[in-house]
PDB file of all heavy atoms in Angstrom:
ATOM      1  N   ARG K  71      -6.883  -8.226 -22.414  1.00 98.00           N
ATOM      2  CA  ARG K  71      -6.159  -7.470 -21.397  1.00 98.00           C
ATOM      3  C   ARG K  71      -6.272  -5.929 -21.650  1.00 98.00           C
ATOM      4  O   ARG K  71      -5.910  -5.565 -22.758  1.00 98.00           O
ATOM      5  CB  ARG K  71      -4.757  -7.890 -21.298  1.00 98.00           C
ATOM      6  CG  ARG K  71      -4.444  -9.370 -21.379  1.00 98.00           C
ATOM      7  CD  ARG K  71      -4.485 -10.079 -20.102  1.00 98.00           C
ATOM      8  NE  ARG K  71      -4.123 -11.467 -20.255  1.00 98.00           N
ATOM      9  CZ  ARG K  71      -3.873 -12.267 -19.231  1.00 98.00           C
ATOM     10  NH1 ARG K  71      -3.830 -11.770 -18.057  1.00 98.00           N
ATOM     11  NH2 ARG K  71      -3.552 -13.529 -19.376  1.00 98.00           N
ATOM     12  N   LYS K  72      -6.676  -5.248 -20.753  1.00 98.00           N
ATOM     13  CA  LYS K  72      -7.034  -3.770 -20.898  1.00 98.00           C
ATOM     14  C   LYS K  72      -6.071  -3.021 -19.958  1.00 98.00           C
ATOM     15  O   LYS K  72      -5.834  -3.289 -18.832  1.00 98.00           O
ATOM     16  CB  LYS K  72      -8.438  -3.442 -20.681  1.00 98.00           C
ATOM     17  CG  LYS K  72      -9.424  -4.087 -21.699  1.00 98.00           C
ATOM     18  CD  LYS K  72     -10.783  -3.417 -21.586  1.00 98.00           C
ATOM     19  CE  LYS K  72     -11.719  -3.954 -22.584  1.00 98.00           C
ATOM     20  NZ  LYS K  72     -13.016  -3.305 -22.673  1.00 98.00           N
ATOM     21  N   TYR K  73      -5.415  -1.954 -20.598  1.00 98.00           N
ATOM     22  CA  TYR K  73      -4.584  -1.097 -19.862  1.00 98.00           C
ATOM     23  C   TYR K  73      -4.939   0.310 -20.177  1.00 98.00           C
ATOM     24  O   TYR K  73      -5.396   0.624 -21.316  1.00 98.00           O
ATOM     25  CB  TYR K  73      -3.074  -1.400 -20.309  1.00 98.00           C
ATOM     26  CG  TYR K  73      -2.512  -2.711 -19.961  1.00 98.00           C
ATOM     27  CD1 TYR K  73      -2.715  -3.833 -20.603  1.00 98.00           C
ATOM     28  CD2 TYR K  73      -1.757  -2.787 -18.687  1.00 98.00           C
ATOM     29  CE1 TYR K  73      -2.185  -5.026 -20.271  1.00 98.00           C
ATOM     30  CE2 TYR K  73      -1.164  -4.042 -18.291  1.00 98.00           C
ATOM     31  CZ  TYR K  73      -1.493  -5.151 -19.106  1.00 98.00           C
ATOM     32  OH  TYR K  73      -0.922  -6.346 -18.725  1.00 98.00           O
ATOM     33  N   LYS K  74      -4.662   1.183 -19.275  1.00 98.00           N
ATOM     34  CA  LYS K  74      -4.789   2.596 -19.475  1.00 98.00           C
ATOM     35  C   LYS K  74      -3.326   3.303 -19.334  1.00 98.00           C
ATOM     36  O   LYS K  74      -2.720   3.282 -18.192  1.00 98.00           O
ATOM     37  CB  LYS K  74      -5.738   3.202 -18.398  1.00 98.00           C
ATOM     38  CG  LYS K  74      -7.176   2.873 -18.790  1.00 98.00           C
ATOM     39  CD  LYS K  74      -8.206   3.696 -17.840  1.00 98.00           C
ATOM     40  CE  LYS K  74      -9.567   3.260 -18.168  1.00 98.00           C
ATOM     41  NZ  LYS K  74     -10.603   3.990 -17.277  1.00 98.00           N
ATOM     42  N   PHE K  75      -2.939   3.868 -20.376  1.00 98.00           N
ATOM     43  CA  PHE K  75      -1.553   4.609 -20.346  1.00 98.00           C
ATOM     44  C   PHE K  75      -1.837   6.084 -20.352  1.00 98.00           C
ATOM     45  O   PHE K  75      -2.371   6.578 -21.380  1.00 98.00           O
ATOM     46  CB  PHE K  75      -0.762   4.120 -21.631  1.00 98.00           C
ATOM     47  CG  PHE K  75       0.030   2.871 -21.499  1.00 98.00           C
ATOM     48  CD1 PHE K  75      -0.382   2.033 -20.401  1.00 98.00           C
ATOM     49  CD2 PHE K  75       1.026   2.579 -22.372  1.00 98.00           C
ATOM     50  CE1 PHE K  75       0.299   0.763 -20.319  1.00 98.00           C
ATOM     51  CE2 PHE K  75       1.703   1.420 -22.127  1.00 98.00           C
ATOM     52  CZ  PHE K  75       1.352   0.445 -21.169  1.00 98.00           C
ATOM     53  N   GLU K  76      -1.554   6.760 -19.304  1.00 98.00           N
ATOM     54  CA  GLU K  76      -1.573   8.225 -19.254  1.00 98.00           C
ATOM     55  C   GLU K  76      -0.159   8.778 -19.565  1.00 98.00           C
ATOM     56  O   GLU K  76       0.735   8.625 -18.776  1.00 98.00           O
ATOM     57  CB  GLU K  76      -2.095   8.778 -17.982  1.00 98.00           C
ATOM     58  CG  GLU K  76      -3.470   8.087 -17.540  1.00 98.00           C
ATOM     59  CD  GLU K  76      -4.618   8.657 -18.320  1.00 98.00           C
ATOM     60  OE1 GLU K  76      -4.556   9.791 -18.727  1.00 98.00           O
ATOM     61  OE2 GLU K  76      -5.625   7.918 -18.395  1.00 98.00           O
ATOM     62  N   VAL K  77      -0.030   9.442 -20.707  1.00 98.00           N
ATOM     63  CA  VAL K  77       1.305  10.014 -21.024  1.00 98.00           C
ATOM     64  C   VAL K  77       1.488  11.406 -20.322  1.00 98.00           C
ATOM     65  O   VAL K  77       0.634  12.342 -20.624  1.00 98.00           O
ATOM     66  CB  VAL K  77       1.494  10.166 -22.542  1.00 98.00           C
ATOM     67  CG1 VAL K  77       2.932  10.765 -22.920  1.00 98.00           C
ATOM     68  CG2 VAL K  77       1.280   8.776 -23.236  1.00 98.00           C
ATOM     69  N   LYS K  78       2.416  11.441 -19.390  1.00 98.00           N
ATOM     70  CA  LYS K  78       2.470  12.727 -18.562  1.00 98.00           C
ATOM     71  C   LYS K  78       3.969  12.941 -18.274  1.00 98.00           C
ATOM     72  O   LYS K  78       4.873  12.088 -18.422  1.00 98.00           O
ATOM     73  CB  LYS K  78       1.690  12.516 -17.277  1.00 98.00           C
ATOM     74  CG  LYS K  78       2.123  11.389 -16.425  1.00 98.00           C
ATOM     75  CD  LYS K  78       1.308  11.294 -15.097  1.00 98.00           C
ATOM     76  CE  LYS K  78      -0.170  10.950 -15.378  1.00 98.00           C
ATOM     77  NZ  LYS K  78      -0.962  10.705 -14.100  1.00 98.00           N
ATOM     78  N   MET K  79       4.238  14.153 -17.911  1.00 98.00           N
ATOM     79  CA  MET K  79       5.581  14.590 -17.491  1.00 98.00           C
ATOM     80  C   MET K  79       5.842  14.169 -16.062  1.00 98.00           C
ATOM     81  O   MET K  79       4.898  14.160 -15.195  1.00 98.00           O
ATOM     82  CB  MET K  79       5.778  16.121 -17.701  1.00 98.00           C
ATOM     83  CG  MET K  79       5.464  16.624 -19.065  1.00 98.00           C
ATOM     84  SD  MET K  79       6.554  15.837 -20.371  1.00 98.00           S
ATOM     85  CE  MET K  79       8.160  16.460 -19.920  1.00 98.00           C
ATOM     86  N   GLN K  80       7.066  13.854 -15.715  1.00 98.00           N
ATOM     87  CA  GLN K  80       7.459  13.480 -14.441  1.00 98.00           C
ATOM     88  C   GLN K  80       8.879  13.993 -14.092  1.00 98.00           C
ATOM     89  O   GLN K  80       9.785  13.767 -14.978  1.00 98.00           O
ATOM     90  CB  GLN K  80       7.342  11.949 -14.189  1.00 98.00           C
ATOM     91  CG  GLN K  80       7.781  11.401 -12.862  1.00 98.00           C
ATOM     92  CD  GLN K  80       6.686  11.693 -11.913  1.00 98.00           C
ATOM     93  OE1 GLN K  80       5.458  11.685 -12.146  1.00 98.00           O
ATOM     94  NE2 GLN K  80       7.041  11.929 -10.683  1.00 98.00           N
ATOM     95  N   SER K  81       9.121  14.505 -12.929  1.00 98.00           N
ATOM     96  CA  SER K  81      10.464  14.849 -12.585  1.00 98.00           C
ATOM     97  C   SER K  81      11.197  13.669 -12.099  1.00 98.00           C
ATOM     98  O   SER K  81      10.848  12.980 -11.266  1.00 98.00           O
ATOM     99  CB  SER K  81      10.430  15.954 -11.488  1.00 98.00           C
ATOM    100  OG  SER K  81       9.896  17.170 -12.015  1.00 98.00           O
ATOM    101  N   VAL K  82      12.439  13.528 -12.659  1.00 98.00           N
ATOM    102  CA  VAL K  82      13.340  12.367 -12.309  1.00 98.00           C
ATOM    103  C   VAL K  82      14.709  12.929 -12.097  1.00 98.00           C
ATOM    104  O   VAL K  82      15.145  13.791 -12.900  1.00 98.00           O
ATOM    105  CB  VAL K  82      13.222  11.349 -13.388  1.00 98.00           C
ATOM    106  CG1 VAL K  82      14.283  10.254 -13.160  1.00 98.00           C
ATOM    107  CG2 VAL K  82      11.798  10.700 -13.559  1.00 98.00           C
ATOM    108  N   THR K  83      15.447  12.434 -11.099  1.00 98.00           N
ATOM    109  CA  THR K  83      16.793  12.771 -10.810  1.00 98.00           C
ATOM    110  C   THR K  83      17.674  11.628 -11.138  1.00 98.00           C
ATOM    111  O   THR K  83      17.522  10.489 -10.698  1.00 98.00           O
ATOM    112  CB  THR K  83      16.908  13.192  -9.369  1.00 98.00           C
ATOM    113  OG1 THR K  83      16.104  14.280  -9.065  1.00 98.00           O
ATOM    114  CG2 THR K  83      18.392  13.607  -9.113  1.00 98.00           C
TER     115      THR K  83
END
Side-chain angles (χ1 to χ4, degrees):
R71 316 273 183 165
K72 294 193 174 186
Y73 292 83
K74 288 187 177 180
F75 278 17
E76 306 285 333
V77 180
K78 59 178 66 175
M79 304 303 293
Q80 181 71 35
S81 291
V82 173
T83 301

